[in-house]
Amino acid sequence: MVKSSEAHRAVEAIWRIESSKIIAALARRVRDIGLAEELAQDALVAALERWPEQGIPDNPGAWLLVVAKRRFIDLIRHKALHQHKEPELTREIEGQLQDAAPVETDAALDEPVADDLLRLMFVACHPVLSTEARVALTLRLLGGLTTEEIARAFLVAEPTVAQRIVRAKRTLAEARVSFEVPRGSELAGRLASVLEVIYLIFNEGYAATAGDRWLRPELCDEALRLGRILATLAPAEPEVHGLIALMEFQASRAWARVNADGEPILLADQNRSLWDRVLIRRGFVALARIEALGQSYGPYALQAAIAACHARASTATETDWQRIAALYDALAQLAPSPVVELNRAVALAMAFGPAAGLEAVDGLAAEPALKHYHLLPSVRGDLLAKLGRFEEARPEFARAAALTRNERERKMLLERARR
């Protein structure tokens, strides 16, 4: 017998580790994400009820999966009785029963778990869903986060997140999305959607868009975990390794990006001895995997190569800004966007002087996509200040402060305006 509090903590820890595998395995059988999660949740409730009394099983993941399967069989039987069609479904039920027994076997999870997880990723990140829905569903199904935890991480009302998840499941069911890994021409677009969701989760942790925290490391950690899983499931996809490399490099700077009070520290001012050398090495390993595949760099790999330039420089002054500018030129050709052009302008300023960067930034002034983007006036203010045009720089920083929704960033920008 295990103490109730200890058992509950153990269940929560095991659930975080095993829930995605269990939901993925169930979804392959029932072909319904919503039903798969409900069955898994039923198994979780059973564990919370039984483990404090019976003890934690040797293979808790297998135990949860088998209980969930048996719950599914009960549902089939109930439906058959309700519809008076039990003879027609007898074979299906018997097959499910054979599949489910016995509880103590270790074979319950000795199935194509990797394939199931990959399928679940592609379904949760299906383009038929909105970006917000894909993020919420991915964190729920693959991250094991509760609705409350997702809402807290993104500073969104809990009922809003709950609605997104419910609607996402309904949309997937109505669209009859296939629970299969896409093939051929469909793969690239679907994979891009998965990568986008993982990177959105990471970015929200790396530079929170709102709230009073600049960093949300729990989201960075979750994105890295999902990315590393994806890299093991799709080892031949170069952009998967590109995204991993990018996140590893960026995550390596996390604890140098804020001071003891949680206030932001800009890249040029960071103490690079605080950068995590293990994560940096992992980033270079991921880039090496792309080289080994013999593939050209995609957008994520190019961004990772840019981040690698910073990782190689032991001080800010040693940064190879001309290479970074050239990499941004390549990125702008491959994946053109106003944000890429803004970053390219910063690289040009660092490589060839603030006047060159300001000229590029001023060329973006009329971009509709950047109209409410706080980094445009922030960058412009920085370049004007470097040129000694302080009276022009001050209102740019003030405008940037008015546009950001992050309190830490707003404070930093107002301080720059004051200075």
Side-chain angles (χ1 to χ4, degrees):
M1 184 174 181
V2 184
K3 287 183 180 179
S4 179
S5 59
E6 292 178 4
H8 281 216
R9 284 196 296 271
V11 172
E12 289 172 4
I14 291 165
W15 179 253
R16 285 290 172 92
I17 296 168
E18 302 289 351
S19 61
S20 59
K21 300 174 189 176
I22 294 165
I23 293 169
L26 291 167
R28 172 164 53 87
R29 290 172 173 80
V30 304
R31 301 284 162 171
D32 184 320
I33 290 284
L35 177 56
E37 189 187 9
E38 287 178 19
L39 295 169
Q41 290 286 343
D42 287 345
L44 174 62
V45 171
L48 289 169
E49 291 173 348
R50 299 180 199 173
W51 290 3
E53 295 295 328
Q54 300 175 2
I56 299 170
D58 293 336
N59 191 334
W63 190 98
L64 289 165
L65 179 57
V66 171
V67 169
K69 287 181 187 177
R70 288 180 172 171
R71 173 61 178 150
F72 176 50
I73 295 163
D74 290 341
L75 290 176
I76 294 174
R77 181 181 288 112
H78 178 76
K79 182 179 178 181
L81 292 170
H82 181 70
Q83 296 178 346
H84 305 290
K85 294 180 179 179
E86 186 170 14
E88 299 175 23
L89 295 175
T90 297
R91 289 184 182 178
E92 182 178 0
I93 293 173
E94 288 176 349
Q96 293 290 348
L97 281 168
Q98 280 188 348
D99 190 35
V103 170
E104 59 270 19
T105 181
D106 286 345
L109 289 178
D110 289 343
E111 295 173 356
V113 174
D115 291 345
D116 287 344
L117 283 172
L118 192 58
R119 289 187 186 99
L120 186 60
M121 280 190 177
F122 277 109
V123 173
C125 300
H126 198 285
V128 73
L129 303 175
S130 69
T131 301
E132 294 83 1
R134 280 182 278 156
V135 168
L137 195 61
T138 298
L139 287 172
R140 175 74 171 175
L141 298 181
L142 290 151
L145 273 66
T146 65
T147 305
E148 180 186 2
E149 288 170 330
I150 298 168
R152 188 167 61 244
F154 284 88
L155 302 180
V156 179
E158 188 175 344
T160 301
V161 173
Q163 285 180 346
R164 286 176 185 170
I165 293 172
V166 169
R167 288 172 183 165
K169 294 174 186 174
R170 186 186 306 132
T171 299
L172 291 171
E174 291 173 352
R176 297 188 177 183
V177 170
S178 172
F179 194 75
E180 300 294 342
V181 176
R183 306 290 179 190
S185 59
E186 188 185 5
L187 176 61
R190 294 282 299 280
L191 181 62
S193 179
V194 174
L195 296 175
E196 178 192 21
V197 167
I198 293 173
Y199 196 42
L200 282 170
I201 294 169
F202 180 87
N203 269 341
E204 187 59 30
Y206 188 71
T209 56
D212 58 2
R213 283 201 297 162
W214 178 239
L215 280 178
R216 299 183 188 278
E218 64 277 9
L219 286 178
C220 291
D221 292 344
E222 185 57 36
L224 275 166
R225 188 184 73 83
L226 291 172
R228 289 167 185 158
I229 290 171
L230 182 59
T232 63
L233 302 180
E237 295 296 334
E239 273 292 79
V240 173
H241 299 297
L243 175 59
I244 287 292
L246 175 58
M247 293 193 297
E248 301 280 15
F249 285 132
Q250 289 183 321
S252 72
R253 307 177 207 148
W255 299 114
R257 295 183 70 241
V258 292
N259 64 18
D261 296 323
E263 295 170 346
I265 300 175
L266 298 177
L267 179 62
D269 302 323
Q270 289 172 18
N271 178 357
R272 299 191 176 207
S273 68
L274 297 177
W275 288 7
D276 190 321
R277 309 314 298 182
V278 173
L279 293 180
I280 288 173
R281 284 197 295 273
R282 285 178 174 174
F284 282 115
V285 168
L287 281 180
R289 289 191 178 120
I290 301 173
E291 299 289 344
L293 289 170
Q295 301 279 343
S296 58
Y297 277 20
Y300 288 111
L302 284 171
Q303 292 176 77
I306 291 167
C309 291
H310 296 295
R312 289 190 185 97
S314 56
T315 65
T317 56
E318 295 175 19
T319 306
D320 189 349
W321 283 104
Q322 291 193 16
R323 175 168 170 75
I324 290 175
L327 288 167
Y328 270 118
D329 285 341
L331 183 60
Q333 291 290 322
L334 192 61
S337 80
V339 173
V340 169
E341 290 295 339
L342 181 60
N343 287 326
R344 176 175 169 273
V346 173
L348 289 173
M350 298 302 293
F352 306 110
L358 184 61
E359 182 181 358
V361 168
D362 286 345
L364 298 171
E367 277 288 346
L370 298 180
K371 184 177 180 181
H372 300 292
Y373 188 51
H374 70 284
L375 290 182
L376 177 61
S378 174
V379 168
R380 191 168 191 276
D382 184 63
L383 296 176
L384 287 167
K386 287 176 178 177
L387 290 168
R389 294 160 62 176
F390 303 119
E391 291 302 317
E392 295 173 78
R394 187 178 299 113
E396 293 293 338
F397 285 125
R399 179 168 168 253
L403 287 173
T404 184
R405 293 188 296 128
N406 185 281
E407 292 301 323
R408 297 285 185 176
E409 192 172 30
R410 178 180 289 113
K411 181 180 177 181
M412 178 186 70
L413 290 166
L414 289 174
E415 175 60 21
R416 296 199 72 186
R418 187 192 65 78
R419 289 197 312 231

